[in-house]
């Protein structure tokens, strides 16, 4: 996402990412659950944390 130059595309991607983030925080797909259940790798978790930092940044 950091490499996107088109403002509209970036805004759309951030909106979609924020919706995904909210879904993860609101149900059983929370990051801890995903990691604990070995549904995602450590690398994927790191990427998700970095992406969510973009949302809040």
């Amino acid at each position: 996402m950091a490499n996107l130059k088109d403002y509209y595309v970036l805004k759309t991607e951030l909106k979609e990412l924020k919706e995904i983030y909210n879904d993860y925080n609101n149900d059983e797909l929370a990051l801890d659950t995903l990691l604990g259940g070995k549904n995602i790798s450590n690398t994927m978790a790191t990427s998700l944390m970095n992406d969510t930092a973009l949302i809040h940044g």
Side-chain angles (χ1 to χ4, degrees):
M1 290 182 65
N3 295 327
L4 291 175
K5 305 248 185 267
D6 185 325
Y7 175 75
Y8 177 77
V9 173
L10 179 60
K11 186 175 178 181
T12 302
E13 292 292 321
L14 284 173
K15 182 178 177 183
E16 291 176 9
L17 183 59
K18 190 170 190 172
E19 289 173 10
I20 292 168
Y21 174 76
N22 288 334
D23 288 344
Y24 283 133
N25 278 337
N26 293 330
D27 61 20
E28 75 266 0
L29 294 178
L31 185 59
D32 291 338
T33 302
L34 291 171
L35 278 170
K38 299 192 189 265
N39 296 319
I40 62 173
S41 68
N42 290 340
T43 303
M44 292 169 73
T46 301
S47 179
L48 182 58
M49 288 186 294
N50 289 336
D51 291 345
T52 55
L54 285 173
I55 292 172
H56 296 293

